[in-house]
Amino acid sequence: MRLHDLLAKSRPRETLTAHLAATLDGAIALRQRVGTIHALEKATDGLFWAAVCLAGLCHDAGKIPDGFQAMLKGHLKAWGERHEVVSLGFLPALIEDDHLLLWVATGVATHHRSLEGGRGPLLHAYGHASEAEWRDRLQPISQSAAMELSVWLLDMAQRARLPTARNPRPESDILGEARQLFDRLWQWWEQPALDERGLAAVLLQGAVTLADHVSSAHSVLHMRQPLNAAFHPHLELALASKGHHLRPHQSDAATIDGHLLLRAPTGSGKTEGGLLWAATQVVQISSRTGGIPRVFLTLPYLASINAMATRLGRLLGNDDFVGVMHSRAASFHLATAICPDDDEEQHVEAARKAVSRAAATRLFRETVRVGTPYQILRGVLAGPAHSSTLIDTANSVFVLDELHAYDPRRLGYILAAAGLWEKLGGRVAVLSATLPEALADLFRTALRETIHTVEADTAGTPLRHRLSLRGSHLTDPESVEEIRQRLAEDQAVLVVANNVADAQHLFAELAPDANDGAAFLLHSRFRRMDRSDLEAAIGERFGVGSHRRRGLVVATQVVEVSLDVDFDCLFTSAAPLEALLQRFGRVNRIAARPPADVIVHPAAFAPRRAKGPDFADGVYPRTPVEMGWDILSRYDGEPVDEAQARLWLDEVYGSAWGQEWREEVEGHRQEFADAFLKFAHPFVSRDDLAERFDELFDGTEAVLAQDRDAYEADLNSVDGDKKAGRLLAERYLIPMPYWAAPLTTWEKKLGVRVLNADYDCRLGLGQIRGPAAQTYEAGEVL
């Protein structure tokens, strides 16, 4: 067999040399985009990117055995062996430097499987096999093809100006060399990795894996960052065209060189301030590393992420630069591509394009990403599946918008991750309208470099809200009657409950009284297609500047962040002060009217189950909610001074409860650092950690039993493209928390959970029936 006859892939058909050359190109492009990672220089003797490029060039060289080629050409169902170990045999003749040889071998061996643990670990398969067994399992190999490939690899490496042996020789005993190098490699990683060597190994694995995936997908990495030195004048022109100008806190943020804490009220342009800061950091990091920094903008809720991605695309003038990082990214692209009047054929084509766009984001193509913090945090799970996320964060810029201080575990994890991002050359900004000093102090502790603080000057700012407290719960008859009166006065009314059950009850009571029949219920337990329609309708009617604002929206916490809506008044259940201030921000958003009423009702406190501590409406811990209520009681009937509101938060977090909260956050930060950020054994599977991570951050989804047949029909509706069919089917899915999986049944044929429950397209998920019904009450899933 000759070299030109060897294949790397069968679908689509691709020759081995074409794939290896493309992977080398991908590695070189990644080196250009990421730049020098200074934290790794000592651990790798400055050889990191040379090792990445050489490993990318050689990673699939081991596909030359006859058995593998027979499998690709359809003559053999499965080969049953791993090509990575054969690839190692080409390295000793190519690389003279022993340290570089081991790093390259590391990248080659681990780009698909863990050395130990997980699915099909290499050590278990080959670590105890004799040389004779290696040869029996992996031969025959065409010696002429092996020699041709060795010469070709040397030529490609030299053309790319990579370090190679001074007196190279075509290697003939590929399997003998492979086995010896495999043994050396395992011995090298058997002992705990010291200093940054383990981190360097994970990043090397991620870089090689990413270069391989980009090559296999015939994709390219974007090499331009639109948030650059030209963004500042671009934004000024965009604002001037609308009769606006940069505000002082936005201009101040643009001058910062380093980490940032930006405090600015809702509606004051803090996002634009964060983007100006990000553009400055891009310039600084690029000059220091030679790379093209990526910018990550994170938000807590799916709806706010989707809205922000659309907003950024418009602001930058090209949404092709913006990637969406969440589990429903393809659904977002599908929703933005489909018009209501499109027929099924157009839906199918839109699904194909949406799948392609989401796949490009998973390959880290775009240089601006919008998502949740947890999508980035997944990189610490390492291994072939997640290490590419970690390499993509090196020398990057992170804008964390509206972190919620009242969730100590998640906040602790984000703080720990921020320390890693800083170590890898990154810069971090925290933007918030409600940033207590205690949270600012935690970030100062988590990051080593100076954190600069910028605060919007609220002096002379028009007061937007007037606070009123009530004595009855939000769902009580007298509360409902007061809301009805506001609707009768043709006002745009926002009602925010703390849980789905209360929201559904209030909507059923109030919807018949809404003006023009304009009543909407928004929470997290809708089918995807219904949620998308609701968000679009709410934005159209109640968006800032809308001329048809009167009506009703009843919502849960999903309305708190980044929805650009504007109401005349708010009725809300008591919650932690941060949440309440965010809810206030949806009212009189741009201070176009006199202070508008924000009316707060006391929460109902009870344990979530028969035992345990009390929670406000089953959601928030009792103490911070009660403390917030006591503070608000001092200002009942007065306009809300947003500068004063910051001091309210400091009072809560400066209390004895606040000290306990801080200790809990620090404990979770250390817990995350110990469990996830120590890479002493970088190639041992982290499957156990992945499960813990999913339980905390990821939910599950289910399709209603009555939608099951329609779901299956969509799955099979796109000939030859299962991913596009699944994307169309996903419109029927309802998100559920991770712990709710037992309320569903798993249907293996469709690969989906099925939920036997009541459902209404205006009310969302109702009563669940079946074996779990006695343990669940309608609306209990938050």
Side-chain angles (χ1 to χ4, degrees):
M1 186 180 296
R2 302 306 299 270
L3 181 58
H4 59 77
D5 295 322
L6 298 176
L7 298 180
K9 302 181 184 300
S10 57
R11 295 181 182 177
R13 185 183 178 90
E14 185 176 24
T15 66
L16 180 57
T17 52
H19 176 63
L20 295 178
T23 305
L24 173 59
D25 288 343
I28 292 171
L30 187 61
R31 177 182 64 185
Q32 179 183 349
R33 195 163 83 156
V34 174
T36 302
I37 307 174
H38 293 289
L40 307 184
E41 290 292 281
K42 183 178 178 180
T44 63
D45 292 335
L47 297 171
F48 179 80
W49 285 114
V52 169
C53 292
L54 285 167
L57 173 63
C58 300
H59 75 293
D60 277 357
K63 290 184 175 181
I64 69 168
D66 290 358
F68 194 95
Q69 291 297 311
M71 179 183 67
L72 290 181
K73 294 172 183 177
H75 306 317
L76 184 68
K77 185 174 182 180
W79 183 41
E81 303 295 341
R82 298 305 308 171
H83 66 274
E84 306 97 290
V85 296
V86 181
S87 299
L88 295 175
F90 289 89
L91 302 183
L94 181 65
I95 303 166
E96 190 170 54
D97 183 301
D98 195 59
H99 196 202
L100 177 60
L101 173 64
L102 287 171
W103 279 114
V104 175
T106 297
V108 168
T110 63
H111 75 278
H112 282 305
R113 300 290 178 93
S114 297
L115 288 179
E116 184 178 8
R119 181 175 63 90
L122 296 178
L123 184 65
H124 177 76
Y126 298 100
H128 304 290
S130 66
E131 182 173 337
E133 185 178 345
W134 271 60
R135 295 187 186 278
D136 286 344
R137 291 165 59 180
L138 300 169
Q139 283 180 336
I141 294 175
S142 167
Q143 291 302 308
S144 61
M147 292 188 66
E148 281 190 80
L149 183 55
S150 293
V151 171
W152 182 87
L153 292 171
L154 176 63
D155 180 59
M156 292 295 294
Q158 290 177 341
R159 289 187 185 187
R161 299 184 179 181
L162 298 172
T164 59
R166 283 172 288 184
N167 298 302
R169 66 191 192 287
E171 187 55 62
S172 58
D173 187 11
I174 296 297
L175 293 182
E177 294 284 359
R179 185 179 183 276
Q180 290 182 35
L181 185 52
F182 183 84
D183 288 346
R184 288 192 61 200
L185 186 65
W186 171 243
Q187 291 170 14
W188 201 44
W189 291 110
E190 188 176 16
Q191 299 301 318
L194 301 177
D195 300 323
E196 305 304 335
R197 193 164 69 96
L199 176 59
V202 172
L203 292 167
L204 172 67
Q205 179 187 45
V208 175
T209 303
L210 178 53
D212 181 26
H213 289 173
V214 169
S215 168
S216 297
H218 302 284
S219 184
V220 293
L221 299 173
H222 282 182
M223 305 303 285
R224 177 174 174 262
Q225 174 53 262
L227 292 170
N228 54 28
F231 178 71
H232 194 147
H234 171 78
L235 180 59
E236 286 188 307
L237 287 173
L239 290 173
S241 68
K242 299 178 181 179
H244 303 304
H245 55 82
L246 287 179
R247 301 181 183 185
H249 63 275
Q250 295 170 328
S251 297
D252 290 346
T255 66
I256 298 298
D257 179 9
H259 304 308
L260 171 70
L261 293 175
L262 174 59
R263 290 190 181 100
T266 301
S268 67
K270 68 178 183 299
T271 298
E272 286 77 5
L275 295 176
L276 287 167
W277 168 85
T280 300
Q281 309 322 301
V282 164
V283 173
Q284 296 296 329
I285 293 174
S286 181
S287 66
R288 190 176 69 247
T289 67
I292 304 165
R294 280 74 58 220
V295 175
F296 296 89
L297 178 62
T298 72
L299 293 156
Y301 295 126
L302 179 64
S304 55
I305 290 166
N306 292 347
M308 182 59 71
T310 301
R311 179 179 170 189
L312 270 180
R314 291 171 181 166
L315 181 60
L316 298 175
N318 186 347
D319 64 2
D320 197 42
F321 287 111
V322 182
V324 182
M325 300 182 306
H326 57 66
S327 59
R328 300 176 219 165
S331 293
F332 164 75
H333 292 303
L334 181 63
T336 56
I338 288 180
C339 298
D341 297 332
D342 288 348
D343 58 25
E344 283 305 311
E345 184 175 339
Q346 290 169 307
H347 282 201
V348 167
E349 181 58 26
R352 293 185 193 274
K353 291 180 179 179
V355 167
S356 177
R357 180 71 187 273
T361 296
R362 283 195 295 272
L363 290 171
F364 312 104
R365 181 185 68 174
E366 299 95 345
T367 52
V368 179
R369 317 275 172 69
V370 186
T372 69
Y374 318 121
Q375 294 296 323
I376 316 174
L377 259 63
R378 293 194 71 86
V380 303
L381 295 176
H386 304 289
S387 54
S388 293
T389 299
L390 202 59
I391 186 66
D392 192 49
T393 62
N395 295 332
S396 289
V397 180
F398 302 86
V399 182
L400 310 181
D401 198 359
E402 300 299 356
L403 289 181
H404 283 179
Y406 48 81
D407 187 338
R409 180 186 295 271
R410 297 187 184 198
L411 178 58
Y413 284 12
I414 293 169
L415 289 169
L420 177 62
W421 300 335
E422 179 189 51
K423 178 188 291 187
L424 293 176
R427 297 277 177 84
V428 182
V430 177
L431 318 181
S432 181
T434 58
L435 184 71
E437 191 60 29
L439 177 52
D441 286 341
L442 284 168
F443 263 92
R444 295 184 185 108
T445 302
L447 300 176
R448 295 182 179 182
E449 297 178 12
T450 301
I451 301 177
H452 306 269
T453 301
V454 172
E455 300 203 34
D457 183 3
T458 57
T461 300
L463 300 178
R464 299 187 294 163
H465 310 123
R466 182 179 300 279
L467 176 66
S468 295
L469 270 58
R470 298 290 186 267
S472 57
H473 191 267
L474 186 62
T475 59
D476 286 353
E478 56 265 44
S479 305
V480 173
E481 189 56 40
E482 184 178 4
I483 300 171
R484 282 198 181 103
Q485 182 59 40
R486 295 297 183 114
L487 292 171
E489 295 171 3
D490 281 347
Q491 294 190 23
V493 180
L494 174 62
V495 180
V496 183
N498 286 336
N499 61 53
V500 175
D502 285 352
Q504 290 174 325
H505 167 77
L506 287 163
F507 182 78
E509 289 285 318
L510 294 166
D513 300 288
N515 305 294
D516 304 330
F520 304 90
L521 174 64
L522 182 65
H523 56 73
S524 57
R525 306 302 165 209
F526 281 98
R527 296 184 303 187
R528 287 193 190 180
M529 57 184 176
D530 297 330
R531 172 78 176 264
S532 295
D533 291 344
L534 281 168
E535 289 170 0
I538 289 171
E540 180 181 358
R541 186 172 188 96
F542 300 100
V544 174
S546 170
H547 299 294
R548 298 189 298 132
R549 285 179 40 257
R550 65 181 188 175
L552 170 72
V553 171
V554 180
T556 58
Q557 298 88 336
V558 299
V559 79
E560 288 177 10
V561 178
S562 289
L563 290 182
D564 197 16
V565 288
D566 186 15
F567 292 87
D568 294 323
C569 63
L570 165 72
F571 293 82
T572 177
S573 290
L577 278 176
E578 300 99 313
L580 288 178
L581 292 170
Q582 291 290 348
R583 295 174 191 184
F584 293 177
R586 308 308 118 187
V587 175
N588 198 13
R589 191 162 175 79
I590 58 175
R593 304 179 296 283
D597 289 331
V598 290
I599 300 166
V600 185
H601 293 259
F605 295 101
R608 285 174 172 165
R609 290 291 186 267
K611 299 179 181 179
D614 283 351
F615 287 85
D617 296 323
V619 180
Y620 302 108
R622 179 170 192 147
T623 301
V625 175
E626 287 189 327
M627 292 181 67
W629 179 268
D630 289 343
I631 291 171
L632 294 179
S633 298
R634 304 175 207 157
Y635 302 92
D636 188 11
E638 298 181 15
V640 177
D641 183 336
E642 299 193 45
Q644 180 73 21
R646 233 284 312 290
L647 301 179
W648 300 350
L649 293 172
D650 289 342
E651 180 178 342
V652 171
Y653 286 99
S655 67
W657 172 86
Q659 182 58 36
E660 293 176 2
W661 168 86
R662 178 170 183 145
E663 291 172 359
E664 187 176 357
V665 173
E666 289 282 17
H668 288 307
R669 180 168 76 94
Q670 192 60 50
E671 171 194 350
F672 189 81
D674 291 342
F676 292 95
L677 302 185
K678 295 182 178 179
F679 300 99
H681 297 282
F683 301 120
V684 174
S685 170
R686 292 187 159 201
D687 287 352
D688 57 330
L689 296 181
E691 185 173 347
R692 286 169 53 190
F693 194 96
D694 289 345
E695 287 180 3
L696 182 61
F697 294 124
D698 281 2
T700 185
E701 292 179 302
V703 62
L704 295 165
Q706 56 265 41
D707 288 335
R708 186 243 177 241
D709 291 345
Y711 181 88
E712 183 176 20
D714 272 0
L715 281 179
N716 301 316
S717 64
V718 186
D719 292 338
D721 194 336
K722 292 183 178 180
K723 290 183 179 179
R726 184 164 293 279
L727 175 56
L728 287 174
E730 286 177 355
R731 56 184 166 174
Y732 293 102
L733 291 177
I734 298 175
M736 305 279 284
Y738 188 90
W739 57 262
L743 303 177
T744 68
T745 57
W746 175 254
E747 183 152 345
K748 185 176 181 180
K749 176 185 175 183
L750 302 182
V752 72
R753 298 187 181 279
V754 178
L755 183 65
N756 186 5
D758 295 331
Y759 183 84
D760 182 277
C761 63
R762 296 189 75 198
L763 296 174
L765 184 65
Q767 180 67 47
I768 292 179
R769 297 184 294 275
Q774 69 273 17
T775 67
Y776 177 85
E777 296 179 7
E780 184 182 23
V781 181
L782 303 173

